Amino acid sequence: MTLTAPSTYKALTEQEAIRLAQSLDVFASSATLQCEEIGDGNLNYVFRITDSATGHGLIIKQALPYAKVVGESWPLTLHRATIEANALKLHGSLAKGRVPEVYATDAALAVTVMEDLSQLTILRNGLIDGKHYPKLAEHIGSYLAHTLFHTSDFGLHPFEKKRLAAEFSNPELCKITEDLIFTDPFFDHDTNDFEEPLREAAQAIWDNEPLKFEVAKLKRSFLTEAEALLHGDLHTGSIFVDEDDTKVIDPEFAFYGPIGFDIGLFLANLIVQAITRSGEERELIVQDITQTWQVFEQQFSGLWESDGIETYKTTTGYREYAIEKIFHDAIGFAGCELIRRTIGLAHVRDLDDIADESTRIDRKRQTLKAGETLIQTRREYQSIKQLETAIKELSK
Amino acid sequence: MTLTAPSTYKALTEQEAIRLAQSLDVFASSATLQCEEIGDGNLNYVFRITDSATGHGLIIKQALPYAKVVGESWPLTLHRATIEANALKLHGSLAKGRVPEVYATDAALAVTVMEDLSQLTILRNGLIDGKHYPKLAEHIGSYLAHTLFHTSDFGLHPFEKKRLAAEFSNPELCKITEDLIFTDPFFDHDTNDFEEPLREAAQAIWDNEPLKFEVAKLKRSFLTEAEALLHGDLHTGSIFVDEDDTKVIDPEFAFYGPIGFDIGLFLANLIVQAITRSGEERELIVQDITQTWQVFEQQFSGLWESDGIETYKTTTGYREYAIEKIFHDAIGFAGCELIRRTIGLAHVRDLDDIADESTRIDRKRQTLKAGETLIQTRREYQSIKQLETAIKELSK
């Protein structure tokens, strides 16, 4: 499908979004279309266009040429819209049903027209409301296995892999991650944001040289290891769910990076939930963590057998080595995510919305502690069951 | 300088090479120019254009659209001429005096016009003739430190690093290395080429699962670790020398890869020399190996202090960790190079030109053994002095 659109960038109005939707072969020409802007306005416009008669709709997402965070505004490449649309299309072709369908794109307008997922809930919101999603672990484990295996050298010809690595070069958005996940929270940096009672814990992190040495290694991995085409920002706010369905959205941070990064970010956001829950509710989340890894490992191993193109794929120990590296990387990256979501620039509602101050500070201290532990002990875990035991202990 | 050249590719004749040289502001318009094609004709034309009166000259190197190896011919991207010219310019700006000056380039013709280095000798030829070059280790150690540090995340802003990584994406030439250094020699592959008395040693390599497991890890590093802009083919045939000067040529394999790869290839080609020499002559080469690493380590560390931009650069242990990784990678890559130069497709004259069959086979067996040992024990070396002792033992 092609869009009838101006050839230079301008931020769309709701009326222009409707006209843009009308130019596609989606709605009847007689349809009365309604438009609602449902984005948070910090990075993107998200217009939902609905046919009033049928209720049928679509999403027009437009990147804004700046990012707004805590009142500050800085320029941010519009190219991220192209990265996001291309990652949605590629990952969608590899992990069927796990990604919204893309109907049309326009690079100049930084616009992606895609499937409306309004019937689903943002996973983070559902989890904060105490929900549990029985298909989540299976769906995300499978999404991770398929998208990461098939874009890695284990499953993709090196010509195509290197073409994709160059196409998905994403310096500006990678820099955000480099700074906000791997650097600033580990130094007394002015982007950090935390409640005063956490200062002592933050200072302890800044003073912890062995911890920072491990984070330096993880950052180096993020900077240099072009293993697979990552989503790049796979937290629970990037996933739509209901009882039966799971869709991964917003891959604007997509780039070629270490496989464990996507896994680690997802697991970290579940660990935050484990920390804020108790009893059986916590147990369900811990089981999701275990099952996500198990599904990933099983399907990644299966693809290695069935679709692997690496000549060394049957060399004794190599598959186990590759998977163990992913496992240990994921645990380390999860630790970084836990720390940055607590004292870094970008927080999570799971923790910030805990009303009682004493409980909130306790949970945040626990999150920091869990992060430090996972980073420093990541290579000691020999199985997901060992990690599960540790997470249960850390989230108690 | 710009070239007056046709806008589509055609292989140059000597007359056309002269006309191309005349179009540059290098020779007097009255000069009588002579042309000699001095390439081996397998991958490139190399025309030397000389002013008969002054003896002053330049080189016109033109990539051919195919590679010829052992009678076979296969298509090979002309883009490698652009990669080579851009790598020469960038590395030349970082390691002053260590790279020939580039006067002009033409992407369509796949031509690079550069400094004539005919007064120098190809290092491999000089070494085979028993020569020793007193400045070699200092010059190459320094070249490696400067080119690799300043193109890595330790010394270069991530925007510029990622721009260069995409610009130097070099899938076709990387694939040659992936196959010929990391894969084919470790399997009974039809590109392999060795004398029959070596079959048992070759078979032992193909059957050595622990060795192949280590090579799989080294190949993975080559495929995924975008640490710095490498030369990519730094053997002793890619270096011009005399008593006082050293110039690195032919970076057509340049790409973003693991820092240890350039170092390992260079050291491996010196190790071959150590194996073919004896007594004091061997000692000189072993000292070159040690000194190259020492100069690299010292200057890389110095640049880390003076020019490092990584926030973690003063974190306890990080610099030592980064340098140790490079050291162990280099030893492993050296091992792969030793094996592929003995039983793989592309041999070295250092070994093949040994006239006496029994001596030649012995030296080749020793080279294979050295390669296996270095690959399998690479992480055990804690210092260059330990490696020096091992190399002395392996080359005896």
Side-chain angles (χ1 to χ4, degrees), chain A residues 10 30 33 109 117 125 128 153 176 202 214 219 232 276 278 304 355 363 385-386:
Chain A
K10 72 179 289 297
S30 59
L33 300 183
L109 267 187
L117 301 171
N125 300 341
I128 290 173
D153 288 294
I176 294 174
E214 295 306 316
K219 180 181 177 185
T276 63
S278 61
W304 182 292
R363 296 292 167 273
K385 284 294 176 187
Q386 281 181 10

Side-chain angles (χ1 to χ4, degrees), chain A residues 306-332:
Chain A
S306 61
D307 294 14
I309 60 162
E310 171 54 61
T311 314
Y312 289 95
K313 79 175 197 173
T314 59
T315 297
T316 312
Y318 189 40
R319 193 188 65 194
E320 294 78 3
Y321 165 83
I323 290 177
E324 188 182 58
K325 178 186 183 294
I326 295 169
F327 186 54
H328 291 160
D329 286 355
I331 298 169

